Amino acid sequence: MKTEKFLGHDCVPLENGILKLLVTQSIGPRILSLGFVNGENLLAELPNFVTDCPGSGTFHFYGGHRLWHAPEEPSRTYLPDDEPVTISIFQNGLKATQQTEPKTGLQKSIEIQLIADSAQVTLTHRITNHSLWDVTCAPWAITQFKTGSTAIFPQIKTDTGVLPNRTLTLWPYTEMTNRNVHWGRDYILVQANMTSPFKIGFPNPRGWQAYWLQGTLFVKRAEYNAQAEYYDHGSSSESYCNDKFIELETLAPITTIAPGATATHIETWNLYKDIENPQNEKEAQTLADKLGLA
């Protein structure tokens, strides 16, 4: 198996002539690099950014893409994932599987498949319950990007007349007067130039969210189930931003995983070249129309 060093970690490259990803073998499961072949890594690189996991040591963010299980509870959510993972190869893809978490009995894996001759990636996130009892949680897929550019979050467009048509979840540290946020009717635009933490969440039946960085637009999609329940007041999409990175996050519905069973959450990523940075709602809509985003 071919490997290469990145940020001090042994990584397995995955490429199709258009895109290249680096999936680390040393820790994880994690994707540490994503970009066009011979292009810049779009993902955040955070080798020294850490937080405390109460009772279990230090959690390293590292940057890139990771899998957590919601709801967020530091002693469980921030369990370190610093041990080597098992990499298995299949046509046009690979699967990274961590050891079972002793504290939770859960095992995380991410299957990454590059679509041939396309700037598209399919990620299948799995959480398997190896404990002796049911576990209620939700797969939570988080992608960290470098700061300095624009995130686009589509809002519900359904005309419900005199009744409300959408909800928005805010965290205690979210400042709604932040000048880096444009609160539109159909889109929320976030400029990733924060000096203090900021987070929003919302139900996302339109199913996509995006981040523009240096002429490239990253779009991630995940299915929304209107009949299901989601954590964080119904949020299927979330974004956290601080002075070091911005995260685009999707959550699966709340699931009770029986012993021996697996919860699955699928994302699709697309990258687009030579895209202009949308500055307002009108430009975001023009871009969505151009790319066929609902």
Side-chain angles (χ1 to χ4, degrees):
M1 186 185 301
K2 178 184 176 183
T3 63
E4 58 183 85
K5 287 285 188 182
F6 184 76
L7 300 179
H9 300 290
D10 294 322
C11 296
V12 178
L14 182 62
E15 57 183 295
N16 64 355
I18 300 174
L19 294 183
K20 180 178 179 180
L21 300 89
L22 292 177
V23 182
T24 178
Q25 194 174 26
S26 304
I27 56 171
R30 300 288 189 111
I31 300 170
L32 291 186
S33 179
L34 166 72
F36 289 102
V37 172
N38 299 320
E40 181 184 355
N41 178 25
L42 301 175
L43 304 181
E45 300 172 10
L46 305 165
N48 301 313
F49 191 76
V50 301
T51 193
D52 178 56
C53 179
S56 297
T58 300
F59 177 82
H60 295 81
F61 280 86
Y62 294 115
H65 180 79
R66 69 186 187 274
L67 171 61
W68 271 357
H69 37 79
E72 188 166 359
E73 201 292 310
S75 65
R76 178 184 54 81
T77 307
Y78 306 158
L79 287 174
D81 57 357
D82 299 329
E83 298 298 321
V85 298
T86 300
I87 303 287
S88 54
I89 305 293
F90 59 91
Q91 186 174 3
N92 298 327
L94 59 82
K95 181 179 180 180
T97 305
Q98 72 165 185
Q99 300 176 28
T100 300
E101 297 174 346
K103 191 169 185 177
T104 67
L106 301 179
Q107 183 181 42
K108 303 171 189 169
S109 70
I110 306 177
E111 184 178 295
I112 306 112
Q113 183 173 20
L114 269 174
I115 307 304
D117 303 318
S118 174
Q120 181 174 314
V121 188
T122 300
L123 298 96
T124 303
H125 307 82
R126 295 185 176 94
I127 296 178
T128 300
N129 182 8
H130 292 293
S131 71
L132 299 177
W133 48 80
D134 292 351
V135 176
T136 300
C137 64
W140 180 10
I142 303 171
T143 313
Q144 294 186 310
F145 292 93
K146 296 172 181 175
T147 58
S149 292
T150 306
I152 308 169
F153 302 107
Q155 298 299 289
I156 297 171
K157 288 187 172 184
T158 305
D159 186 354
T160 53
V162 297
L163 298 177
N165 72 341
R166 56 195 147 154
T167 60
L168 185 67
T169 299
L170 304 176
W171 274 253
Y173 49 80
T174 300
E175 178 54 71
M176 292 195 73
T177 60
N178 193 307
R179 295 182 179 180
N180 292 302
V181 184
H182 172 79
W183 303 98
R185 184 184 66 178
D186 296 328
Y187 296 93
I188 298 173
L189 274 63
V190 175
Q191 301 298 322
N193 294 306
M194 303 293 180
T195 56
S196 58
F198 174 90
K199 187 169 185 178
I200 56 172
F202 55 96
N204 189 358
R206 295 174 69 181
W208 64 271
Q209 50 187 293
Y211 187 60
W212 182 94
L213 182 66
Q214 297 181 359
T216 295
L217 186 74
F218 168 93
V219 178
K220 76 154 63 184
R221 296 177 176 85
E223 181 180 349
Y224 174 74
N225 184 345
Q227 281 70 51
E229 293 185 2
Y230 291 83
Y231 285 115
D232 299 338
H233 303 300
S235 297
S236 64
S237 288
E238 297 180 353
S239 179
Y240 174 87
C241 186
N242 62 18
D243 62 333
K244 294 179 174 61
F245 57 84
I246 182 170
E247 294 179 337
L248 270 60
E249 312 172 6
T250 65
L251 292 91
I254 300 171
T255 303
T256 297
I257 313 173
T262 299
T264 301
H265 179 56
I266 298 174
E267 286 188 341
T268 302
W269 296 356
N270 287 88
L271 272 66
Y272 301 90
K273 278 186 175 181
D274 303 321
I275 301 295
E276 293 188 8
N277 187 8
Q279 299 295 314
N280 51 51
E281 265 204 292
K282 181 178 179 180
E283 293 181 5
Q285 185 61 61
T286 299
L287 181 57
D289 293 339
K290 176 182 176 181
L291 299 180
L293 301 173

